[in-house]
Amino acid sequence: MAGEEPETTEFDLSQSPGHLLHRAQQFASERFMKAMEGEKLTQRQFAVLHATGSREGLTQTELVKATGIDRSTLAELVSRMQRNGFLAKEKLPDDARANAIHLTAHGRTVLDKITQGAQDADSDILSAIPKNKRTSFLKTLRRIAEVLEEGEAAERLAREKEKEKKKKKKAKAKEKAKAKLKAKEKTRRKKKERQAA
């Protein structure tokens, strides 16, 4: 009917997965910062330190996979952590474009110092959940992370396919232009031959 307000679906923040995940992240971040024993490291920086300490010599591409941090953010993080004396880069002999990432002595000391704090923060987070629900909670979080990674992989593949498509299109256009030029040259040559005859 004219003049009636359209029905709107009621939105409830207390039932919103996005909002609740954000609040849970705030809780996790707060617990993490309290557990850092005065070290001013973010959860992402800790993830980079831990992944590097667990497997020295990872490339930045491997660190992206290990931490889930996007490539450009990770590159900036690694550079900052290198400037702050936590990490060192070393050129790979078989790939001039790639760097192996290592912990410095300072980075190792800090990692050893704060790892227990990170574990304590995780325990605090899990303590908010009933014991019989913790396994399924972690399984659900891992599933969300997997879905994110699958989406990122699909986007990367789509970008690569698009890039390849553009490359083929460009090569085809170049080939077409070359053939057109060749045909034009052939026509001009025949015209000259006719005029000369």
Side-chain angles (χ1 to χ4, degrees):
M1 243 193 227
E4 272 188 32
E5 289 291 314
E7 263 189 56
T8 56
T9 306
E10 200 169 304
F11 183 81
D12 183 356
L13 279 177
S14 69
Q15 299 301 314
S16 165
H19 177 69
L20 294 173
L21 282 170
H22 176 70
R23 296 287 289 142
Q25 171 55 32
Q26 287 176 313
F27 177 79
S29 184
E30 179 186 296
R31 293 300 185 273
F32 179 84
M33 293 312 288
K34 282 182 181 176
M36 284 300 98
E37 299 185 25
E39 291 293 334
K40 295 198 185 305
L41 285 177
T42 65
Q43 287 172 303
R44 283 180 170 180
Q45 289 170 323
F46 173 75
V48 171
L49 274 183
H50 187 269
T52 304
S54 298
R55 206 169 126 215
E56 289 278 345
L58 290 174
T59 64
Q60 286 187 200
T61 299
E62 291 167 330
L63 270 175
V64 165
K65 289 178 187 167
T67 62
I69 300 169
D70 68 90
R71 186 176 301 280
S72 59
T73 302
L74 185 96
E76 198 278 320
L77 260 178
V78 167
S79 292
R80 188 174 344 126
M81 292 174 77
Q82 183 182 14
R83 284 191 306 272
N84 292 335
F86 295 108
L87 301 175
K89 290 182 191 177
E90 174 189 354
K91 286 278 182 209
L92 290 176
D94 55 339
D95 186 350
R97 295 174 300 151
N99 292 303
I101 310 298
H102 299 277
L103 291 180
T104 61
H106 174 63
R108 173 61 65 190
T109 301
V110 170
L111 179 61
D112 291 344
K113 177 183 170 187
I114 64 174
T115 298
Q116 184 59 53
Q119 290 170 330
D120 292 345
D122 284 347
S123 294
D124 282 352
I125 293 163
L126 289 176
S127 71
I129 298 160
K131 284 185 182 178
N132 65 340
K133 306 267 186 199
R134 292 176 187 173
T135 301
S136 65
F137 173 72
L138 289 171
K139 188 176 179 181
T140 301
L141 290 178
R142 276 194 294 274
R143 180 63 190 134
I144 290 170
E146 286 167 8
V147 168
L148 175 65
E149 289 166 11
E150 289 165 6
E152 290 169 345
E155 283 178 21
R156 199 167 37 253
L157 186 62
R159 279 195 305 271
E160 286 169 10
K161 282 184 177 178
E162 187 60 31
K163 191 176 179 182
E164 189 60 32
K165 191 176 168 183
K166 284 180 181 178
K167 191 176 177 183
K168 283 180 181 177
K169 191 176 178 181
K170 191 175 180 180
K172 195 175 178 181
K174 195 174 181 181
E175 197 60 42
K176 195 176 176 181
K178 198 174 177 181
K180 195 175 178 181
L181 190 64
K182 197 173 181 181
K184 208 175 184 180
E185 184 61 39
K186 189 177 179 181
T187 305
R188 194 172 48 197
R189 199 170 47 245
K190 280 185 177 181
K191 191 178 179 183
K192 272 188 176 181
E193 286 171 2
R194 279 196 306 267
Q195 287 173 348

